[in-house]
Amino acid sequence: MNKPELLAPAGNLEKLKIALIYGADAVYVGGKNFSLRAFGGNFTDDELKIAVDFAHSMNKKIYVAVNIFAHNDDIEELKNFLKFLDDIRVDAVLISDLGVFSLAKELTNLEIHISTQANITNYKTVEMWKNLGASRVVLARELTHDEIVNIKKNSAIELEMFIHGAMCISYSGRCYLSHYLTGRDGNQGECTHSCRWKYNLVEEKRPGEYFEVSEDDRGSYVMNSKDLCLLPCLDKVIESGVSSLKIEGRMKSVHYVASVVKVYRQAIDDLMQNAELRIKNEWIEELDKVAHRPYTTGFFESDGSSTEIYDTSKAKQSSTFLGLVKDFDPLTKIATVEQRGKMEIDQQIEILQPHDKNFSQVLTEMTDEEGNFINSAPHAQQIVKIKFLQDVEKWSLIRTLKQK
Ligand code: SF4
């Protein structure tokens, strides 16, 4: 059984570094245009060059999403962008539009992965994309385990599938809801997640009178999907022979990227050593610490019919990100930390490390950059020095032990 690639989202350079340092084999990013995350903190051309160099310096891969449905006006700029990506040697581009695909084939030597936006749900479609020259396809989320196994059996190119993250209630993002309600088009990377809003019915002659829309007595978030989490069935995912396991979330936080990547890194590595291994509670607990909606295995283990949430559209998390360890002096056990949330003396903190075990302690000693003792660090991205009781890895995340 081949070990699958762990593929993580990276909305900016910091998240890219975190994803790779915490164990992703590859990352996917978007340029400033042409990727379906217009608000995902996408990369400028200069940042893309830095990102490619960083990923390659770690012998890891970087894929760039060019997965909009292009209009005529996009074509000239797309040509330049694709040539640029070829020049800086990204490892693949992620495409869903056949016209963009043909441009990439004509103008570049780039490897092409077909985005989940192309809604690939059967092996004949995989075969067609292979014949056209794609090296990998990302399967639609709307597939059961048996269907994925069957597609794998009948396919001769790499398959990639989502294992974790938010889901669309419509078919893998082919949705006009956001554009219809807000003018912001999900198919151009501007989705406002209108499917998660609370809806009421208003009769035209009774303005201001809201009638609740409800499927049953649980409520009315009829289009509000749970988040995908295939950790509980990761053994079956790996057995299916898919080449790459993808985490959703280019717009998610540094905390989300670090935590989710670390859990799946450990789980994949441990399951490859021992296929009988049971999923550890500590992994499930870790995934609960970052912002998420209730988890579901989606279509993988069923027909996806129990994937809606009825009580709230808000994500929950049991821990808050407080600071990023930029440096550590093992002699003094003092770390240089960039503040990301309000830190206070006597606060119980937990440290999430890229490789070593998490640990917790009370925050007992903190100074500002000049060495003055301080009781709290309220300023955004303030640099502080914190005394630890043990060694801390650079790039560790400091967070609350429990949500306040
Ligand atoms: S509105 Fe919801 S279903 Fe539609 S594209 Fe956005 S997230 Fe997906």
Side-chain angles (χ1 to χ4, degrees):
M1 199 162 46
N2 288 331
K3 190 173 192 170
E5 170 187 86
L6 178 60
L7 175 58
N12 59 31
L13 263 178
E14 183 179 63
K15 290 177 200 172
L16 177 137
K17 290 178 183 174
I18 290 278
L20 296 173
I21 288 165
Y22 274 75
D25 301 305
V27 284
Y28 62 101
V29 306
K32 280 290 172 197
N33 298 312
F34 311 126
S35 95
L36 282 183
R37 286 293 174 268
F39 305 108
N42 291 328
F43 290 61
T44 63
D45 287 357
D46 285 344
E47 287 169 337
L48 278 172
K49 277 190 220 158
I50 296 169
V52 171
D53 289 345
F54 185 85
H56 289 173
S57 74
M58 291 183 75
N59 284 326
K60 300 197 175 194
K61 293 187 173 174
I62 174 167
Y63 311 138
V64 179
V66 193
N67 56 347
I68 61 159
F69 291 103
H71 287 248
N72 295 334
D73 290 348
D74 296 321
I75 300 297
E76 288 310 310
E77 208 186 323
L78 263 168
K79 287 181 184 171
N80 294 332
F81 186 56
L82 288 166
K83 284 189 216 157
F84 165 74
L85 295 178
D86 200 14
D87 287 346
I88 63 170
R89 297 189 305 110
V90 304
D91 295 285
V93 281
L94 209 56
I95 285 173
S96 47
D97 181 291
L98 202 48
V100 180
F101 180 89
S102 73
L103 282 178
K105 292 299 293 175
E106 283 160 25
L107 302 173
T108 75
N109 292 311
L110 287 164
E111 274 203 33
I112 304 177
H113 298 174
I114 306 303
S115 163
T116 193
Q117 297 296 119
N119 304 127
I120 296 165
T121 52
N122 64 74
Y123 59 81
K124 286 304 287 180
T125 311
V126 177
E127 186 181 285
M128 189 66 208
W129 279 115
K130 175 183 178 288
N131 294 342
L132 288 172
S135 61
R136 177 188 293 188
V137 300
V138 187
L139 297 174
R141 289 173 174 92
E142 295 81 9
L143 289 170
T144 63
H145 166 253
D146 290 351
E147 287 177 299
I148 292 170
V149 168
N150 203 0
I151 291 174
K152 171 65 193 163
K153 225 182 273 168
N154 291 286
S155 300
I157 55 172
E158 290 183 352
L159 304 179
E160 179 179 308
M161 66 179 277
F162 281 93
I163 53 166
H164 195 92
M167 297 214 290
C168 271
I169 207 74
S170 72
Y171 216 97
S172 275
R174 290 220 168 183
C175 172
Y176 212 59
L177 188 62
S178 172
H179 188 264
Y180 181 72
L181 292 174
T182 68
R184 283 169 44 180
D185 188 351
N187 294 315
Q188 298 290 323
E190 298 171 347
C191 177
T192 53
H193 304 278
S194 318
C195 55
R196 304 195 187 284
W197 298 351
K198 186 172 171 108
Y199 290 93
N200 286 280
L201 183 70
V202 179
E203 197 274 326
E204 64 174 341
K205 297 207 175 87
R206 298 180 211 193
E209 281 188 49
Y210 297 100
F211 297 94
E212 193 172 327
V213 180
S214 55
E215 278 179 83
D216 54 33
D217 58 6
R218 287 176 295 180
S220 59
Y221 295 100
V222 288
M223 297 182 285
N224 181 24
S225 174
K226 292 178 183 171
D227 286 353
L228 181 69
C229 174
L230 293 187
L231 183 68
C233 36
L234 195 61
D235 51 347
K236 282 170 79 180
V237 171
I238 293 173
E239 270 168 32
S240 70
V242 166
S243 305
S244 178
L245 308 183
K246 183 174 204 164
I247 296 166
E248 182 276 345
R250 274 192 281 144
M251 294 171 75
K252 298 277 175 62
S253 67
V254 165
H255 186 199
Y256 169 93
V257 173
S259 173
V260 176
V261 167
K262 186 175 179 186
V263 166
Y264 281 99
R265 175 75 283 147
Q266 288 179 343
I268 292 168
D269 290 350
D270 289 3
L271 278 165
M272 290 303 296
Q273 301 263 332
N274 175 9
E276 306 297 310
L277 187 85
R278 294 178 71 104
I279 296 303
K280 294 179 185 166
N281 276 341
E282 65 190 64
W283 294 337
I284 306 269
E285 282 166 18
E286 181 61 42
L287 293 180
D288 273 338
K289 289 180 180 171
V290 296
H292 69 285
R293 297 178 186 83
Y295 289 127
T296 173
T297 53
F299 290 79
F300 190 77
E301 289 199 309
S302 72
D303 60 0
S305 58
S306 60
T307 58
E308 291 107 346
I309 315 163
Y310 295 91
D311 54 351
T312 178
S313 64
K314 291 204 177 90
K316 292 182 183 148
Q317 64 190 83
S318 66
S319 178
T320 300
F321 179 28
L322 299 175
L324 178 65
V325 174
K326 304 289 253 186
D327 209 354
F328 179 72
D329 179 352
L331 289 177
T332 59
K333 301 240 180 305
I334 289 176
T336 305
V337 175
E338 189 176 280
Q339 187 266 23
R340 297 300 173 89
K342 193 174 176 198
M343 286 185 280
E344 291 172 310
I345 290 296
D346 293 336
Q347 189 175 21
Q348 186 79 35
I349 53 173
E350 184 180 38
I351 293 80
L352 170 66
Q353 308 199 78
H355 307 101
D356 289 341
K357 271 189 160 314
N358 301 351
F359 67 92
S360 59
Q361 69 167 67
V362 174
L363 180 50
T364 53
E365 199 179 301
M366 180 164 58
T367 67
D368 62 17
E369 276 189 283
E370 284 73 45
N372 305 307
F373 286 98
I374 51 176
N375 286 323
S376 70
H379 305 302
Q381 298 197 291
Q382 181 180 355
I383 298 293
V384 295
K385 307 267 185 187
I386 290 178
K387 176 96 172 168
F388 281 97
L389 303 177
Q390 63 179 77
D391 286 356
V392 181
E393 286 180 74
K394 191 178 166 189
W395 295 101
S396 292
L397 268 56
I398 301 169
R399 61 188 180 187
T400 56
L401 197 55
K402 277 208 172 133
Q403 183 73 43
K404 283 190 163 180

